[in-house]
Amino acid sequence: MTLHLPNPDGTLRAYEPRTEPMTVSRGSAFTSRTVFSAAHVVADPFADTTPDGPAAVDWDATLAFRRHLWSHGLGVAEAMDTAQRGMGLDWPTAAELIRRSAAEAKHASGRIACGVGTDQLTATATTTLAEVRTAYEEQLAVVEESGAQAILMASRALAATAKGTDDYLDVYGHLLRQATEPVILHWLGPMFDPALEGYWGSSDLDAATDTFLEVIAAHPDKVDGIKVSLLDARREVDLRRRLPQGVRCYTGDDFNYPELIAGDDQGFSHALLGIFDPLGPLAAQAVRVLDTGDTEGFRALLDPTVALSRHLFQAPTRYYKTGVVFLAWLSGHQSHFTMVGGLQSARSLPHFARAYELADGLGLFPDPKLAQERMRNLLSLYGVNQ
């Protein structure tokens, strides 16, 4: 049945939805790459909340989605940017999310790594580095006590408080010495969070990279890997070639992930990606093809997904979570399109229409008829008659 989808200029275009999903199969564990999907949270649509109040989470649906990712062999990167850290998910709820998901991972034999930040601390003119360290330490303790691997996330409070590179070296050095197991360091660019402009002590990315590498070089035994989210493939390749032996690069580049994961004759990136939330089953199938040494087959599966990813992550990039949750709703992973913090309003109807079109074209929806019905309902809600 034809859907009439809105264009940005107010006109409508006819679209014929698919009738069958893409066929994907589960298989053995990955052998050539370590792959995490940064997972979204499912809001409780019946909670009486406000955008600036505590988050209300539908725990059953949230944990079910993590089981879905684990069932395809993907690791889960929990309480990360995709889970709306600093954009609707408060620290007390994030801590509960970490504990619940880590317990679920043990039951499901799934891999999990969790974000450690400082979002319980609001930086002011009087905030000290000691307070930033204390906030990090509190969150690191929660993650380690849960049994999950820690991901040291970039900190808005540190970005606002640090006076130069030495402050970054001091804070990260302190945390790495404390960590009981090797962590993943996360460099999130300002396109994902404008408050992180100038992270590592400089807006000059070459200088910032040098500081980042200095942190790693001082504690290589405490760094499992780095997660780079700068949307700059060339810079990521240059950075991963400068890493100490044994330190992995996890791409967080949602624009260029197929080429970065495929790699070249000097190395490759593993993956920790928000786009692998909606792409989970397809991404897992592609990695299993890559495990056989078939790089062309891997690219043939994953390259066509880039248009969808670039659409979801278009500027302002920090609102990509809205598209991710929208596709989870269309895919039947949740019964509603509601987000913590009311973030379902962060993208336009033409944006949703194009996301639906691209995802449907890839065959991502397990039940295309359900996705079509839900898209039709959304269009009707916005006043688009079919």
Side-chain angles (χ1 to χ4, degrees), residues 282-351:
L282 175 56
Q285 182 161 305
V287 174
R288 289 193 178 93
V289 170
L290 186 61
D291 286 345
T292 69
D294 184 0
T295 302
E296 289 186 4
F298 167 80
R299 294 293 298 267
L301 282 170
L302 218 51
D303 282 359
T305 69
V306 172
L308 171 63
S309 190
R310 287 181 175 244
H311 177 72
L312 296 183
F313 285 77
Q314 68 183 236
T317 301
R318 61 189 180 277
Y319 294 124
Y320 77 86
K321 298 94 166 170
T322 301
V324 166
V325 175
F326 170 66
L327 294 182
W329 171 57
L330 293 183
S331 296
H333 293 299
Q334 54 196 78
S335 62
H336 58 87
F337 179 35
T338 305
M339 298 177 67
V340 297
L343 209 64
Q344 67 272 9
S345 65
R347 293 294 199 187
S348 68
L349 184 61
H351 181 90

Side-chain angles (χ1 to χ4, degrees), residues 90-328:
D90 53 280
W91 167 239
T93 310
E96 184 174 1
L97 176 65
I98 289 166
R99 294 186 182 103
R100 286 177 179 252
S101 296
E104 196 74 20
K106 292 174 185 175
H107 181 73
S109 298
R111 183 165 185 168
I112 187 168
C114 300
V116 172
T118 63
D119 44 322
Q120 75 275 46
L121 176 65
T122 301
T124 68
T126 60
T127 299
T128 65
L129 287 180
E131 290 173 315
V132 174
R133 284 195 301 268
T134 298
Y136 262 130
E137 288 170 344
E138 177 190 354
Q139 296 200 14
L140 180 61
V142 169
V143 171
E144 291 191 332
E145 288 166 6
S146 78
Q149 184 178 16
I151 303 173
L152 294 187
M153 302 170 68
S155 162
R156 291 176 180 173
L158 180 55
T161 304
K163 304 303 181 185
T165 58
D166 287 347
D167 289 342
Y168 287 90
L169 295 172
D170 173 66
V171 170
Y172 276 91
H174 177 82
L175 294 169
L176 290 173
R177 286 189 295 272
Q178 271 192 231
T180 58
E181 299 291 340
V183 308
I184 298 172
L185 296 180
H186 186 190
W187 186 357
L188 191 69
M191 67 289 294
F192 287 91
D193 187 344
L196 299 176
E197 178 66 43
Y199 211 73
W200 304 112
S202 178
S203 293
D204 180 329
L205 289 180
D206 291 334
T209 298
D210 288 343
T211 302
F212 188 41
L213 288 168
E214 187 175 347
V215 169
I216 298 164
H219 307 275
D221 59 320
K222 288 296 187 74
V223 181
D224 164 67
I226 62 168
K227 194 255 188 180
V228 187
S229 300
L230 298 176
L231 304 183
D232 184 334
R234 184 71 259 162
R235 183 169 293 279
E236 179 174 321
V237 171
D238 290 343
L239 176 55
R240 80 184 182 205
R241 289 177 180 170
R242 296 173 63 188
L243 291 174
Q245 186 71 28
V247 176
R248 309 180 195 194
C249 180
Y250 293 92
T251 187
D253 188 331
D254 301 278
F255 283 6
N256 304 293
Y257 50 94
E259 65 185 81
L260 290 164
I261 298 169
D264 54 32
D265 58 1
Q266 296 185 55
F268 56 81
S269 295
H270 299 270
L272 198 166
L273 288 159
I275 191 57
F276 280 6
D277 178 303
L279 293 184
L282 175 56
Q285 182 161 305
V287 174
R288 289 193 178 93
V289 170
L290 186 61
D291 286 345
T292 69
D294 184 0
T295 302
E296 289 186 4
F298 167 80
R299 294 293 298 267
L301 282 170
L302 218 51
D303 282 359
T305 69
V306 172
L308 171 63
S309 190
R310 287 181 175 244
H311 177 72
L312 296 183
F313 285 77
Q314 68 183 236
T317 301
R318 61 189 180 277
Y319 294 124
Y320 77 86
K321 298 94 166 170
T322 301
V324 166
V325 175
F326 170 66
L327 294 182

Side-chain angles (χ1 to χ4, degrees), residues 371-384:
Q372 180 182 342
E373 290 174 351
R374 289 185 169 183
M375 189 67 212
R376 183 181 298 276
N377 288 339
L378 183 71
L379 292 167
S380 176
L381 181 65
Y382 276 78
V384 181

